[in-house]
Amino acid sequence: MEKTIMDVSRHQGVIDWAKVKASGKIGGVMIRAMGNSAEGLPSKPYTDPQFARNYAECKRLGIPCGVYGYFKAADREQADKELAYFKKLLTGRSFELPVAVDIEDEVQKPLGKAALTNLTAHMLSTVESWGVYAMLYTGLWFGSTFLYMGGAELKPYDVWLAAYRTRKPAPGWPFGMWQYTSAARVPGVSTNVDMSHAYKDYAAIIKRAGLGAVKGV
């Protein structure tokens, strides 16, 4: 059951979510909760300025939503700090769609494939341990070049794959969502917006498994 999923951040400004819903163009939204400083290390996670409003509006209007955080960690200590920050943003909120860890930063490239794969697996397993549906977001080139995407460490986790093209990629490893464009237009959004195809009924999977909110806090 394929659905079209839009993802948004502060770059889309103030969105008219009633218009988005009325357009009938989307089946759900991935909202950026955590951004990160753009230059070098140490990482400086911050709350996306539009996160609270975007989340509240999706809830008010009954639009299925998930979240993602941009991670710049280059070692376990930094990863744990970013994860703690991310968890705070998720706590007390509920999600119908996955919780994605975005791995694609320049500072992570020098780590080498094995180290970055292990670090990414640590972040995903931590997110999963919170009782939510953990997902890896990365680009086709970045994932193929800097991560062992088909390896045992990342195999347990679903993938949201960015590859802007007209034909579905065939990288040799599975993915559940394909972000196919960054230039979609949706009523209610004043800028271009990323759009993805979801190949699984995430809302049903998450509801059935009870993975819609952080547990034990």
Side-chain angles (χ1 to χ4, degrees):
M1 182 183 172
E2 188 177 312
K3 288 195 174 180
T4 303
I5 306 294
M6 177 172 79
D7 62 274
V8 297
S9 69
R10 66 182 176 86
H11 299 296
Q12 277 68 51
V14 178
I15 295 169
D16 185 333
W17 284 102
K19 280 187 181 175
V20 170
K21 183 175 183 180
S23 75
K25 284 194 166 189
I26 64 158
V29 185
M30 293 293 288
I31 304 168
R32 188 172 77 167
M34 184 180 80
N36 222 306
S37 59
E39 296 175 22
L41 288 170
S43 64
K44 293 177 184 172
Y46 64 86
T47 306
D48 188 288
Q50 291 298 322
F51 170 53
R53 182 182 181 275
N54 286 339
Y55 172 84
E57 284 291 277
C58 285
K59 287 293 169 185
R60 180 177 72 85
L61 293 163
I63 301 170
C65 67
V67 292
Y68 68 99
Y70 190 90
F71 286 77
K72 287 186 63 167
D75 60 39
R76 186 73 69 98
E77 185 182 355
Q78 291 167 7
D80 288 341
K81 285 179 182 175
E82 291 179 348
L83 286 160
Y85 191 99
F86 193 41
K87 187 180 183 182
K88 269 189 185 176
L89 296 179
L90 271 54
T91 300
R93 293 182 162 103
S94 60
F95 308 102
E96 296 76 34
L97 300 179
V99 172
V101 172
D102 182 345
I103 301 292
E104 56 176 313
D105 200 86
E106 288 288 324
V107 301
Q108 293 163 334
K109 292 178 180 178
L111 293 182
K113 256 185 163 179
L116 184 55
T117 298
N118 287 334
L119 188 62
T120 300
H122 167 68
M123 291 188 259
L124 288 163
S125 67
T126 301
V127 171
E128 188 175 63
S129 76
W130 301 340
V132 295
Y133 190 108
M135 174 181 258
L136 168 63
Y137 172 93
T138 196
L140 178 59
W141 175 78
F142 190 96
S144 300
T145 308
F146 299 104
L147 292 165
Y148 286 118
M149 293 298 294
E153 296 91 345
L154 297 181
K155 201 171 182 180
Y157 306 105
D158 206 345
V159 176
W160 176 15
L161 180 66
Y164 303 149
R165 57 188 64 193
T166 54
R167 295 183 66 179
K168 185 180 178 182
W173 29 266
F175 54 95
M177 280 207 304
W178 167 34
Q179 187 186 73
Y180 62 91
T181 184
S182 60
R185 302 294 302 196
V186 175
V189 185
S190 61
T191 67
N192 285 352
V193 67
D194 300 337
M195 205 71 85
S196 301
H197 294 302
Y199 301 107
K200 302 176 184 179
D201 188 346
Y202 286 108
I205 293 167
I206 287 166
K207 186 176 182 179
R208 191 164 55 240
L211 299 174
V214 174
K215 306 288 190 301
V217 289

